[in-house]
Amino acid sequence: MATGQQLERALEIARTIAAQAPLAVRASLASSRRYAEHGPLGMKDAMEAVQRGLAQTADAAEGVRSFVERRQARFTGK
């Protein structure tokens, strides 16, 4: 990366993250925090329950629909 481009790259990454399903983004952040505090086993123990919960959300269904329909997903955080 060219010197002086770090801020623009960080903003590009932030926009990409912000466009994702809000519940999944929050779960990813929480998982990262659990990993930092409790290590890989502490994070892994909680991961399965979180994944099962996320799979039941409207955003998960929207993600699949948007993929099948080849369009940008419209996540609602539900």
Side-chain angles (χ1 to χ4, degrees):
M1 174 178 317
T3 301
Q5 298 299 310
Q6 295 87 349
L7 177 60
E8 185 53 42
R9 178 65 180 134
L11 291 172
E12 180 181 323
I13 292 168
R15 285 189 288 272
T16 298
I17 293 169
Q20 305 309 306
L23 296 174
V25 171
R26 283 192 288 266
S28 294
L29 181 56
S31 177
S32 297
R33 288 182 177 143
R34 271 192 302 278
Y35 181 89
E37 294 171 5
H38 304 290
L41 293 179
M43 183 270 310
K44 181 185 168 295
D45 291 343
M47 181 65 103
E48 289 178 29
V50 170
Q51 288 293 85
R52 278 193 304 276
L54 288 173
Q56 302 302 312
T57 65
D59 277 355
E62 168 59 13
V64 172
R65 263 193 316 277
S66 67
F67 177 80
V68 169
E69 296 171 4
R70 299 180 190 268
R71 63 172 171 78
Q72 187 72 28
R74 294 180 295 271
F75 298 115
T76 62
K78 298 177 182 174

